[in-house]
Amino acid sequence: MFLTDKYSSLLPPHHHHSDAAPPKSSSRRRQQQQQAGKAACFDAALAARLRGLLPLPGPACSPSSSPLAALARLADLLALTLAEAARALAGEGDAAAVAAHLDAGIALLDACNAITARLERLRRRRLLARFALHLVVSPAGRGRARAALADRDDRTSSPSPPPPLPSLPFDQPRGRLYAAARVLVAVNAVSSLAAAAAAAVLGGDALGTAFPRVSGSDFPWAEPFNAVSSQLSTLAICNASEVDAIDEAIQRLASVLDGKGGADEAALGAAAQEVERRTEELTARLDRLSDAVNGVFRAALGLRNAELGAFMAGPAGKTGV
């Protein structure tokens, strides 16, 4: 028997048999490579999805453009991004990157709740508009119809306007990023874009809304991201949303009802038909957007669970990608 065989347990690790367990550094290196590969796949998938959004529904500054439809598609993309991020972080142990993102995850959940509350307010106004349409058919009910339209504007129950929708500022990090951090940068960027679009479309402050942009070529999804951001900004500025359109139609109907000497029947019929058409359009698009926001909320919870799992996994080796 060779002495190396007899006393192998006393020798340094590199004198062990070739079939011994590989050093921990080798196992960690493989884990790092797997994490880097998942991050690269995530980046490529996000770039493809962003390109798939282009062009946005209807040409910019065209009556056929639908800001609500564009916002719903962006919310769908955000939900997919969050779900993919959760899968990319599975088994990831970059506790520092994950811990830094936990507060951002809470802010996204809060933003979803605020948007849902805004959509519910719009639904209530839509129901009051439909109630007013039911009343204007009869001359005896037109006084109540006018009251319903006034109540729709919340002038009696809520004299102050609703609070602005929360923003999710995007601060692009500098320097070398590791696998988990790259994934979470993308999550922050798309979340910020969706929040800005919601504020512009639902909050009525398109001119005052800053849409995020990504600089440099470190991320393969940066170019399509900036293109989507630019088109959303133009769409929100150039086009009155479906919410604005129904508000204008309601104002015309209210003006006809307020006419001296009684309402002009022809004008009343035309105004009521326009409100009905706008209401039907708004109903379908609000339902679609509400479903999309609910999907974002569920995906954000899933990502948070994945982050907590990664955080509990403890620190792991990092790799640049």
Side-chain angles (χ1 to χ4, degrees):
M1 177 183 292
F2 291 101
L3 291 177
T4 53
D5 292 332
K6 184 175 181 179
Y7 299 106
S8 60
S9 62
L10 302 178
L11 295 175
H14 64 274
H15 287 288
H16 286 186
H17 289 300
S18 60
D19 59 350
K24 289 185 178 180
S25 60
S26 176
S27 175
R28 178 171 295 178
R29 190 177 302 112
R30 283 198 300 270
Q31 182 184 16
Q32 293 170 347
Q33 291 171 347
Q34 291 173 355
Q35 292 167 355
K38 288 194 293 185
C41 291
F42 173 88
D43 284 348
L46 177 57
R49 290 194 181 104
L50 286 166
R51 292 189 182 96
L53 284 184
L54 300 169
L56 295 177
C61 301
S62 165
S64 64
S65 298
S66 171
L68 286 179
L71 183 56
R73 292 181 65 195
L74 179 59
D76 288 340
L77 182 142
L78 175 56
L80 284 172
T81 301
L82 294 167
E84 288 291 335
R87 285 189 282 271
L89 291 178
E92 171 65 71
D94 190 349
V98 171
H101 185 260
L102 289 176
D103 287 344
I106 293 295
L108 176 58
L109 292 171
D110 288 343
C112 288
N113 286 331
I115 293 171
T116 298
R118 183 64 59 89
L119 294 177
E120 288 304 315
R121 180 175 181 270
L122 292 174
R123 280 199 174 101
R124 177 182 179 275
R125 298 174 69 195
R126 174 183 57 83
L127 288 174
L128 288 171
R130 294 184 70 89
F131 180 56
L133 288 175
H134 175 73
L135 293 173
V136 297
V137 175
S138 169
R142 290 172 185 173
R144 294 177 61 198
R146 187 65 186 87
L149 295 180
D151 189 34
R152 173 186 176 275
D153 293 330
D154 294 334
R155 292 172 183 170
T156 57
S157 59
S158 179
S160 60
L165 292 174
S167 63
L168 300 175
F170 173 64
D171 296 321
Q172 183 172 342
R174 304 296 178 184
R176 189 181 186 187
L177 297 176
Y178 300 101
R182 288 181 64 89
V183 169
L184 295 175
V185 165
V187 167
N188 286 342
V190 179
S191 299
S192 177
L193 180 58
V201 173
L202 299 175
D205 187 23
L207 290 174
T209 301
F211 281 77
R213 294 184 65 84
V214 178
S215 60
S217 57
D218 293 338
F219 302 99
W221 46 265
E223 182 179 351
F225 177 91
N226 290 336
V228 171
S229 181
S230 178
Q231 286 197 22
L232 278 171
S233 177
T234 301
L235 182 66
I237 292 173
C238 292
N239 294 84
S241 73
E242 295 86 336
V243 177
D244 297 325
I246 194 173
D247 283 346
E248 293 173 0
I250 289 290
Q251 289 175 2
R252 284 190 287 271
L253 177 59
S255 297
V256 174
L257 289 172
D258 289 339
K260 294 181 179 180
D264 179 274
E265 293 299 325
L268 180 62
Q273 286 180 359
E274 183 182 6
V275 170
E276 184 174 12
R277 180 174 63 86
R278 296 291 189 182
T279 300
E280 290 176 355
E281 291 176 354
L282 182 64
T283 298
R285 288 168 181 169
L286 283 181
D287 290 344
R288 168 75 176 85
L289 180 55
S290 180
D291 290 342
V293 173
N294 287 337
V296 171
F297 189 88
R298 290 191 298 269
L301 285 178
L303 175 58
R304 182 169 177 80
N305 290 336
E307 288 177 330
L308 292 176
F311 188 76
M312 295 299 293
K318 303 173 183 178
T319 182
V321 291

